[in-house]
Amino acid sequence: AQSVTQLGSHVSVSEGALVLLRCNYSSSVPPYLFWYVQYPNQGLQLLLKYTSAATLVKGINGFEAEFKKSETSFHLTKPSAHMSDAAEYFCAVSDRYTGNQFYFGTGTSLTVIP
Amino acid sequence: EAGVAQSPRYKIIEKRQSVAFWCNPISGHATLYWYQQILGQGPKLLIQFQNNGVVDDSQLPKDRFSAERLKGVDSTLKIQPAKLEDSAVYLCASSLEGSGALTYEQYFGPGTRLTVT
């Protein structure tokens, strides 16, 4: 069975500071992993995905994530936070062998302090 | 390309009433998903279609929820009768899986926010 744990439901950073959002997964098969961002009253937008190619994945808006099999982690980072990064972030693992179902974490709300 | 379209964006109903949501996926996407997102939680899959067939509806409360995708394109999700705990955002997503392409991405619509009073 697949599951995702996002540590920290709320994260606050100062503008210009490093953003680190944590995601750990549990999967019985080699996983595909995703980070989505959700702005208020909007749907989910894909930031980046890991599908068993390079373990360091670069996404949109300056975000990147590293797949670490030994730690079962896929943490999201950005070197310098912008005010526009304030949003809800969701990590998801895909069950690609049974129809590409996604299992989402509970989300992390990012606040950027000016 | 046009994204996933959903309507209505907001709906307020009283408990025991019925409600229906509509979704039009991205053109050419064979797979369509309906998710329920309760406030403070991640989206939870309700049902997955590939073309007009159901792939997984194991988490759909079938005593009150139903969904269809008759022509393999747009889809309708219905709740009858609604309960207070059905208050949530209902998200529709689509993907190319089943169309001969493997992108592993799901594209989400803006969602329908349902409030049951």
Side-chain angles (χ1 to χ4, degrees):
Chain A
Q2 285 71 28
S3 67
V4 165
T5 301
Q6 291 184 242
L7 296 176
S9 58
H10 294 89
V11 171
S12 293
V13 300
S14 298
E15 191 175 15
L18 171 71
V19 176
L20 170 60
L21 304 182
R22 300 179 185 274
C23 173
N24 288 89
Y25 69 90
S26 172
S27 176
S28 56
V29 297
Y32 289 166
L33 294 157
F34 305 80
W35 275 99
Y36 280 84
V37 61
Q38 187 176 35
Y39 297 100
N41 299 315
Q42 296 187 27
L44 279 69
Q45 179 184 5
L46 180 69
L47 278 176
L48 48 81
K49 64 180 179 181
Y50 166 76
T51 56
S52 69
T55 57
L56 181 62
V57 180
K58 295 187 184 298
I60 63 171
N61 301 337
F63 284 94
E64 63 181 38
E66 186 172 8
F67 171 68
K68 292 187 177 181
K69 184 177 179 180
S70 61
E71 299 178 7
T72 61
S73 69
F74 191 58
H75 301 331
L76 182 71
T77 60
K78 182 174 181 178
S80 177
H82 293 173
M83 296 298 296
S84 59
D85 294 328
E88 190 85 16
Y89 292 80
F90 292 95
C91 182
V93 62
S94 167
D95 185 353
R96 59 192 168 112
Y97 290 111
T98 58
N100 198 38
Q101 297 170 24
F102 279 23
Y103 298 87
F104 284 88
T106 53
T108 298
S109 177
L110 176 66
T111 300
V112 181
I113 303 167
Chain B
E1 69 182 357
V4 177
Q6 290 188 248
S7 67
R9 291 295 313 276
Y10 305 92
K11 190 73 176 180
I12 300 174
I13 62 172
E14 296 181 351
K15 59 183 179 183
R16 292 187 289 274
Q17 287 187 325
S18 63
V19 64
F21 313 127
W22 175 82
C23 171
N24 191 28
I26 293 173
S27 178
H29 281 199
T31 302
L32 184 148
Y33 312 79
W34 282 103
Y35 290 87
Q36 180 191 58
Q37 185 179 17
I38 293 173
L39 186 64
Q41 298 182 22
K44 182 187 80 171
L45 181 69
L46 292 175
I47 188 168
Q48 176 183 350
F49 293 94
Q50 185 165 307
N51 298 308
N52 60 354
V54 175
V55 174
D56 184 359
D57 63 358
S58 58
Q59 297 195 82
L60 187 73
K62 298 180 186 63
D63 57 335
R64 298 184 301 105
F65 286 64
S66 64
E68 59 183 14
R69 193 185 185 199
L70 293 176
K71 297 183 179 179
V73 181
D74 56 351
S75 175
T76 303
L77 176 69
K78 297 180 181 178
I79 308 175
Q80 182 179 9
K83 293 185 175 181
L84 295 176
E85 58 261 36
D86 298 332
S87 294
V89 176
Y90 291 84
L91 295 165
C92 180
S94 69
S95 72
L96 276 168
E97 270 60 52
S99 312
L102 295 175
T103 65
Y104 312 111
E105 292 178 33
Q106 294 185 21
Y107 297 82
F108 285 79
T112 296
R113 183 176 298 276
L114 174 67
T115 302
V116 182
T117 62

